[in-house]
Amino acid sequence: LVQGMMVQQPEDPLAFIAAFVAEEKSSNLKPATVLLTPMASPPATAPAEAVPPTPSDAPGSAPDMTGHHSLLAEALRRDPSLYSRLFGRTTKLGVSFEQVIRPGVDIRGHRMIRTVGLVAGDAESFTAFGPLFDAVVALKCPHFGASDRQPLFRDAGRVDADRIDPYGGHVVSVQMRMHRNLVGLRFPSACSSDERREVERVFAKALLDLTDRFHGSYFPLPGSGSYPTELEGMAPEKAAELEDKRFLFHEPDSSIAVASGISRDWPDARGV
């Protein structure tokens, strides 16, 4: 609701809120139909198999996206052939078309807050299912063409050295977040338990090898049994300390995150 108001800035906020609440009640009366079979955790020793199609998912017959408000739904409505062209495709690492579109199929969303509705399962997803990703990106970023590339920024000297809050009266903390994926391993939405543990092993070793002011320690989340030296995860005292410093993160609980598959096997192979 807040995000919708910030984006649309309605002239009559009360009418906007009333319409939002009315639509929420209406959508809750008729739960979304699950068009795909429930997602199971991929096997630990082999890439995930494609989910067997149900009758409603037969090739050439796209899911009924009536009442869905994601960019995926909009792309499929504009070009229904995308579904029949891509249905049945699977990447070399085992990511299926159904896994990619699951968030937008399982989650109706809201017309005032349009989510993307699809998620890449590995690097090849962007080419194997390229026509769909291109269509969704075009809706999300109309001025970013299929041949455009994200600009790179690698010159640290161009970073402004001025203090954000020189008088110390406003800024409490500043965090920088970086996301990286490893070649040959599936992304969090589709990876197996073994793949996730391999990512933890590689990154923990690489970071623990840093020296001087970059040297630190790795603490697996409480309850994680993947790290050899701390099979029960970090101690409660350390968890409380990191929580107080706002470094600790918790299991995603949004419907989009759950449908995307990124919270599987939580908290195994996650840490700070």
Side-chain angles (χ1 to χ4, degrees):
L1 171 60
V2 174
Q3 181 179 352
M5 293 186 68
M6 292 176 64
V7 172
Q8 300 191 28
Q9 299 183 356
E11 295 183 2
D12 188 346
L14 293 179
F16 182 91
I17 294 173
F20 184 96
V21 172
E23 182 160 340
E24 282 294 300
K25 289 182 177 180
S26 175
S27 62
N28 287 336
L29 292 175
K30 183 181 180 182
T33 301
V34 178
L35 299 175
L36 303 179
T37 55
M39 176 180 286
S41 180
T45 58
E49 296 294 332
V51 179
T54 62
S56 60
D57 295 325
S61 176
D64 181 7
M65 305 298 282
T66 303
H68 289 247
H69 303 285
S70 65
L71 298 180
L72 167 71
E74 179 65 21
L76 291 178
R77 280 193 288 266
R78 293 190 179 190
D79 185 2
S81 70
L82 285 170
Y83 185 87
S84 58
R85 288 158 53 194
L86 299 176
F87 185 91
R89 289 191 187 182
T90 303
T91 68
K92 294 181 179 66
L93 292 179
V95 177
S96 68
F97 179 59
E98 289 142 306
Q99 288 176 291
V100 169
I101 67 172
R102 180 177 295 276
V105 174
D106 285 357
I107 307 301
R108 288 182 179 273
H110 195 282
R111 64 181 179 84
M112 296 179 183
I113 306 176
R114 302 179 70 192
T115 59
V116 174
L118 78 167
V119 58
D122 59 7
E124 190 189 351
S125 296
F126 295 107
T127 53
F129 315 112
L132 180 59
F133 275 96
D134 289 344
V136 170
V137 170
L139 292 172
K140 181 69 174 178
C141 308
H143 303 295
F144 193 85
S147 60
D148 293 334
R149 294 294 180 267
Q150 183 73 23
L152 299 178
F153 185 85
R154 296 177 175 173
D155 184 4
R158 295 172 57 190
V159 178
D160 194 337
D162 292 341
R163 295 182 61 184
I164 297 176
D165 182 15
Y167 300 104
H170 304 284
V171 178
V172 176
S173 66
V174 176
Q175 292 184 356
M176 180 179 69
R177 178 174 295 182
M178 180 181 71
H179 296 266
R180 298 295 296 173
N181 297 299
L182 299 183
V183 173
L185 296 174
R186 288 174 291 182
F187 297 168
S189 61
C191 69
S192 68
S193 176
D194 280 358
E195 286 174 311
R196 189 180 296 105
R197 290 188 172 199
E198 176 64 6
V199 171
E200 178 187 47
R201 185 193 67 80
V202 170
F203 271 106
K205 182 180 185 306
L207 295 174
L208 291 174
D209 284 344
L210 297 178
T211 58
D212 300 328
R213 65 191 183 96
F214 298 108
H215 180 70
S217 301
Y218 174 71
F219 301 99
L221 292 187
S224 173
S226 58
Y227 200 60
T229 59
E230 295 193 54
L231 291 177
E232 296 182 357
M234 70 179 78
E237 297 79 12
K238 176 57 67 174
E241 175 189 338
L242 295 178
E243 180 73 47
D244 186 60
K245 294 180 179 179
R246 301 184 181 182
F247 289 156
L248 200 64
F249 57 96
H250 302 275
E251 181 178 3
D253 58 1
S254 73
S255 56
I256 290 292
V258 173
S260 298
I262 63 175
S263 61
R264 287 177 294 110
D265 304 317
W266 194 275
D268 192 73
R270 280 94 166 178
V272 178

